[in-house]
C-alpha cells in the first residue's frame, strides 16, 4: 500500500462547532500548543495519558465518533464508541451525526469509512503507518499487469474480479470498474455465487486463503483453483490450468492468520480434550478443515456469546480479540489456538493511547491530523464495488 506521508500537516478544523465542554487540563494545552506532532506524546507510558484522553474526548462530544476494530488493544478499545469489523464500523460511522470519524484500525479500514461517509464527515487514522500486510500484497500496478496478461490470453472477459475488503481503495476501484465487487469474510460465499452466475471465472484478491476456503466450501475442487503469483508471468500458471480454473487466487495472505498450522489444532485437542476449535477463514485450508467451525470475526464472537456455560474453546484469530473474549466470558474455558505464538497484528497495534491523545487534543485545538481521503475517480469506482456487495 502506498501509505501517505509519515504525518500529514494539521488541517484547520474549520467546520467544528464552538467549544462548550469543560477546559482540557493545563498540561494537555501546554503540550498541544508547543508541538503538533505525536513525538512528544510517545514519551509517555501507555497508562499515563488516560485522563487526558478522556478529558479531550469529553470536550469533543458527539462531533466525533471513535471506532475500534475487534483486534485493537484494550488500552485503545476502551475509548471506542463502537466495536466491530471494518464494514460494520464504517457503516455505523456513516449513519452517525459525527463530523469526524476517528478509526482505530488500519489504513484500508479508514479508506472504506471515507468512501462510505456522508459529505460533511472526514476520517482520521491515528497512525498513518498502521497498514495491513495482506492489503499490501496486492498493489494496483501488479493487478493491472495481471489483468493485461489475462487479456493477452483472451481470458479477461471471462473473469469477474472480487476483492476482500482488506485491500486498498485502488484495488476496490479496479474491481468496481470491471463489473466486480468487494466482499467481507461474512459474505464471501454470496459474492462468489453472484460472480459465477455472471462469469465462468473469478479473480479473488488479495487473500488466497479466504478465496480457497470459501470456494472449497462451495464445492470447487482444488485442481480447479489457480494461485496467481504477481512476481511471475501469468501468475506462474500454464494457459490450460488458468482455463480450467474457476477461481484465480491472488498470492496474498494475512500475516496473523496464515501462521496457524494444523498441528496447533492437534496439540490444543491433546492438551484440552473436548475443546471446540473455531478459526477465521484467513487461516490455511488444512487448519480450517481440522477445525470444528470457521467464520468471520463476528461469527467467532457469536459462537462464544451463545456457547453453553462450561464449554471449552480454542480460537484461531488475533490475540487481542481472543484475550478480550476470554475476559468477557469467564463462564467458558477459552484457549488460544497457538498458545506459544499468540499471533497479533503488529500494524493494528500501532494505534496507541499516545496517538489517540494526540489526535483528540489536536481536534480540541481545532486541528485535524492524519486525515485519510480517497480521491476521485477511485472514490466513485470503489463505492460502486462496495454498493454491489451491499446489494448481493
Ligand atoms: P473480519 O473482521 O471481517 O472477519 O476480518 C478480519 C481481519 O483480518 C481484519 O483485518
Ligand atoms: Fe491485515 Fe491480517 Fe492485520 Fe487484518 S489481521 S489488518 S488482515 S494483517
Amino acid at each position: 500500500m502506498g501509505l501517505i506521508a509519515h504525518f500529514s500537516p494539521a488541517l484547520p478544523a474549520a467546520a467544528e462547532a464552538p467549544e462548550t465542554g469543560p477546559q482540557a487540563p493545563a498540561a494537555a494545552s501546554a503540550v498541544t500548543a508547543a508541538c503538533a506532532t505525536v513525538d512528544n506524546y510517545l514519551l509517555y507510558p501507555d497508562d499515563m495519558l488516560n485522563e487526558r484522553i478522556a478529558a479531550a474526548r469529553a470536550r469533543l462530544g458527539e462531533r466525533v465518533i471513535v471506532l475500534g476494530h475487534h483486534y485493537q488493544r484494550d488500552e485503545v478499545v476502551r475509548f471506542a464508541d463502537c466495536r466491530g469489523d471494518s464494514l460494520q464500523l464504517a457503516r455505523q460511522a456513516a449513519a452517525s451525526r459525527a463530523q469526524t470519524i476517528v478509526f482505530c484500525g488500519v489504513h484500508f479500514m479508514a479508506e472504506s469509512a471515507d468512501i462510505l461517509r456522508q459529505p460533511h464527515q472526514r476520517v482520521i487514522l491515528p497512525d498513518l503507518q498502521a497498514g495491513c500486510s495482506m492489503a499490501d500484497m496486492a498493489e494496483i500496478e501488479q493487478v493491472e499487469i495481471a489483468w493485461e496478461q489475462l487479456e493477452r490470453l483472451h481470458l479477461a472477459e471471462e473473469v469477474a474480479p472480487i476483492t476482500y475488503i482488506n485491500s486498498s481503495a485502488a484495488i476496490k476501484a479496479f474491481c468496481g470498474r470491471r463489473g466486480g465487487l468487494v466482499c467481507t469474510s461474512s459474505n464471501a460465499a454470496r459474492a462468489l455465487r453472484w460472480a459465477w452466475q455472471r462469469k465462468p471465472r473469478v479473480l479473488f484478491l488479495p487473500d488466497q486463503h479466504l478465496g480457497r476456503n470459501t470456494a472449497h466450501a462451495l464445492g470447487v475442487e482444488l485442481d480447479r483453483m489457480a494461485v496467481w503469483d504477481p512476481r511471475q508471468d501469468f501468475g506462474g500458471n500454464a494457459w490450460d490450468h488458468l482455463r480450467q480454473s474457476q477461481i484465480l487466487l491472488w498470492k496474498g495472505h494475512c500475516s496473523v492468520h496464515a501462521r496457524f498450522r494444523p498441528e496447533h489444532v492437534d496439540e490444543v485437542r491433546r492438551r484440552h480434550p473436548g475443546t471446540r476449535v473455531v478459526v477465521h477463514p484467513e487461516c490455511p485450508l488444512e487448519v480450517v478443515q481440522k477445525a470444528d467451525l470457521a467464520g468471520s470475526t463476528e461469527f467467532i464472537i457469536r459462537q462464544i456469546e451463545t456457547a453453553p456455560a462450561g464449554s471449552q474453546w480454542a480460537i484461531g484469530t488475533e490475540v487481542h480479540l481472543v484475550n478480550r473474549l476470554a475476559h468477557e466470558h469467564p463462564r467458558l474455558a477459552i484457549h488460544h489456538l497457538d498458545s506459544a505464538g499468540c499471533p497479533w497484528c503488529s500494524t493494528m497495534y500501532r494505534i496507541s493511547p499516545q496517538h489517540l491523545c494526540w489526535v483528540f487534543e489536536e481536534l480540541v485545538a481545532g486541528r485535524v491530523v492524519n486525515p485519510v481521503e480517497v480521491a476521485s475517480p477511485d472514490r466513485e469506482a470503489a463505492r460502486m464495488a462496495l454498493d454491489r456487495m451491499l446489494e448481493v
Side-chain angles (χ1 to χ4, degrees):
M1 171 182 56
L3 284 179
I4 323 173
H6 192 149
F7 294 114
S8 303
L11 304 175
E16 299 294 351
E19 297 294 347
T20 51
Q23 288 300 303
S29 313
V31 170
T32 307
C35 180
T37 78
V38 76
D39 296 354
N40 284 7
Y41 290 77
L42 295 176
L43 300 173
Y44 291 85
D46 275 7
D47 53 358
M48 257 190 75
L49 293 172
N50 285 344
E51 282 179 24
R52 279 174 57 177
I53 299 173
R57 177 69 192 93
R59 289 189 67 179
L60 295 167
E62 289 186 2
R63 286 178 288 146
V64 170
I65 185 166
V66 184
L67 310 177
H69 189 271
H70 289 306
Y71 298 170
Q72 285 293 321
R73 45 175 143 159
D74 288 344
E75 306 90 280
V76 168
V77 158
R78 61 188 296 193
F79 294 105
D81 299 308
C82 354
R83 256 196 261 165
D85 64 30
S86 60
L87 179 66
Q88 244 177 356
L89 290 172
R91 294 181 82 189
Q92 253 173 301
S96 79
R97 292 172 45 202
Q99 295 163 3
T100 303
I101 300 165
V102 176
F103 209 134
C104 302
V106 294
H107 196 269
F108 75 79
M109 299 180 182
E111 281 189 331
S112 298
D114 185 60
I115 293 164
L116 294 173
R117 69 170 167 78
Q118 299 174 56
H120 69 277
Q121 295 179 312
R122 64 170 158 248
V123 180
I124 288 177
L125 181 64
D127 184 349
L128 289 176
Q129 303 241 10
C132 161
S133 53
M134 176 201 286
D136 291 351
M137 288 177 200
E139 289 174 9
I140 185 60
E141 295 78 12
Q142 294 174 316
V143 176
E144 277 164 354
I145 290 170
W147 197 259
E148 276 165 31
Q149 295 185 347
L150 289 171
E151 281 174 336
R152 271 164 45 205
L153 297 173
H154 304 289
L155 285 176
E157 60 271 26
E158 296 180 3
V159 175
I162 299 182
T163 187
Y164 189 20
I165 194 160
N166 299 17
S167 55
S168 68
I171 301 289
K172 293 183 178 82
F174 174 92
C175 292
R177 288 189 189 105
R178 284 159 188 84
L181 75 173
V182 174
C183 75
T184 66
S185 50
S186 307
N187 62 26
R190 259 175 288 155
L192 280 179
R193 276 198 224 99
W194 179 92
W196 282 324
Q197 279 162 10
R198 286 155 180 83
K199 300 279 171 97
R201 263 170 281 288
V202 163
L203 171 63
F204 193 90
L205 300 148
D207 184 18
Q208 58 170 311
H209 299 297
L210 178 64
R212 185 179 294 110
N213 287 322
T214 313
H216 195 256
L218 291 173
V220 178
E221 299 294 337
L222 291 176
D223 62 3
R224 306 255 289 160
M225 303 186 197
V227 174
W228 189 284
D229 180 349
R231 283 155 302 188
Q232 295 192 49
D233 280 346
F234 305 103
N237 297 286
W239 181 82
D240 53 345
H241 185 41
L242 291 173
R243 183 110 207 123
Q244 72 172 28
S245 293
Q246 277 181 264
I247 185 163
L248 316 181
L249 303 164
W250 192 264
K251 197 175 179 190
H253 64 265
C254 164
S255 48
V256 176
H257 293 97
R259 285 180 47 191
F260 292 110
R261 307 256 68 90
E263 302 81 76
H264 294 140
V265 181
D266 297 334
E267 175 63 13
V268 83
R269 286 201 173 117
R270 194 187 58 74
R271 280 193 290 119
H272 307 286
T275 295
R276 303 263 292 155
V277 178
V278 57
V279 300
H280 196 282
E282 290 172 17
C283 295
L285 177 67
E286 307 78 54
V287 175
V288 169
Q289 282 178 321
K290 282 215 159 186
D292 297 294
L293 298 164
S296 66
T297 306
E298 284 302 319
F299 172 88
I300 293 173
I301 293 170
R302 243 187 349 266
Q303 299 312 306
I304 297 302
E305 283 173 349
T306 56
S311 55
Q312 286 198 70
W313 292 83
I315 308 180
T317 191
E318 211 273 347
V319 67
H320 291 93
L321 175 61
V322 181
N323 286 343
R324 190 170 305 122
L325 287 172
H327 180 73
E328 289 175 351
H329 300 276
R331 66 196 176 84
L332 307 176
I334 293 181
H335 315 290
H336 293 276
L337 180 55
D338 173 14
S339 54
C342 285
W344 55 296
C345 180
S346 57
T347 47
M348 287 260 186
Y349 196 78
R350 291 193 72 97
I351 308 295
S352 65
Q354 292 83 348
H355 284 89
L356 217 48
C357 192
W358 173 57
V359 161
F360 287 170
E361 290 187 351
E362 285 295 299
L363 282 170
V364 168
R367 291 187 291 269
V368 175
V369 288
N370 287 4
V372 170
E373 219 174 316
V374 179
S376 293
D378 274 2
R379 170 181 204 85
E380 292 72 23
R383 173 81 201 218
M384 204 153 59
L386 278 160
D387 285 344
R388 254 180 226 136
M389 169 185 72
L390 298 174
E391 283 160 26
V392 165

